[in-house]
Amino acid sequence: MYSIISAISAWAIPAIIVFIPLYAYFRRVPVYESFVEGAKDGFQTSINIIPTLVGMMVAISVFRASGAMDWILGFLRPFLDWIGVPSEVVPLAFLRPITGAGSLAFTTDLIKTYGPDSMIGRIASTIQGSTDTTLYVLTVYFGAVGIRKGRYALKVGLFSDLVGFVAAVMICLFIFS
């Protein structure tokens, strides 16, 4: 069974890459011209979202350099110790909604420090896989289409990140303890 799944996964992407242009060709769609037009639109979208991305990156840098993260962790540490949550993974609750690369780097550091099979490594990996970069997604997608009022989407996205964080911690503590 494993060899069948392995063969399917090895051929799935090349098959899709061949199938889509062939399908479009037989439907009389100008394949190359459509590709070039899509590339133009993608480039224009990239140019439109650059100012929003720069603003988000500056805000992330200011938050990390100001020491606000350390202050928040110092405030939360007694409560986290009381409920059994390793305080080392809490920065992921703040970083993951903001930056995927930053949270991945932080997760990598935790795994290098504590090991992949440690409780901290397992929780960090689960958090990394169960939440999303909400602020990045809202910035990119809302900025690309010009939506300025995204407060409800922001609330729902951050709430879902909180639920993902809590669920990841609880499940890991339940399964691996």
Side-chain angles (χ1 to χ4, degrees):
M1 184 68 170
Y2 178 76
S3 62
I4 293 171
I5 293 172
S6 179
I8 290 171
S9 66
W11 285 98
I13 299 295
I16 290 171
I17 290 173
V18 169
F19 173 75
I20 291 174
L22 284 175
Y23 180 76
Y25 175 77
F26 287 118
R27 302 256 324 187
R28 307 244 187 259
V29 174
V31 177
Y32 184 74
E33 291 80 5
S34 297
F35 172 78
V36 170
E37 189 63 33
K40 284 182 192 175
D41 291 344
F43 185 71
Q44 187 59 40
T45 300
S46 299
I47 290 172
N48 289 342
I49 65 173
I50 285 174
T52 343
L53 289 175
V54 169
M56 185 186 70
M57 295 301 179
V58 168
I60 292 167
S61 298
V62 168
F63 179 71
R64 293 175 79 189
S66 70
M69 175 105 49
D70 295 332
W71 183 83
I72 291 170
L73 280 178
F75 179 74
L76 292 176
R77 193 173 312 272
F79 176 71
L80 295 171
D81 291 341
W82 182 68
I83 61 174
V85 175
S87 60
E88 292 85 358
V89 299
V90 173
L92 282 177
F94 297 105
L95 285 175
R96 186 68 180 138
I98 299 171
T99 170
S103 65
L104 183 60
F106 190 79
T107 300
T108 303
D109 287 342
L110 287 176
I111 290 172
K112 282 182 183 175
T113 303
Y114 299 100
D117 292 330
S118 68
M119 184 60 73
I120 292 171
R122 289 176 176 170
I123 291 173
S125 298
T126 306
I127 291 168
Q128 187 71 19
S130 63
T131 59
D132 200 358
T133 53
T134 301
L135 297 179
Y136 176 80
V137 168
L138 291 177
T139 300
V140 170
Y141 293 125
F142 283 14
V145 295
I147 295 175
R148 298 287 176 223
K149 296 180 182 177
R151 67 175 182 251
Y152 296 118
L154 178 64
K155 290 176 187 176
V156 169
L158 291 177
F159 180 71
S160 67
D161 286 330
L162 177 64
V163 170
F165 176 80
V166 170
V169 171
M170 289 176 57
I171 289 169
C172 284
L173 289 175
F174 178 73
I175 291 176
F176 300 116
S177 289

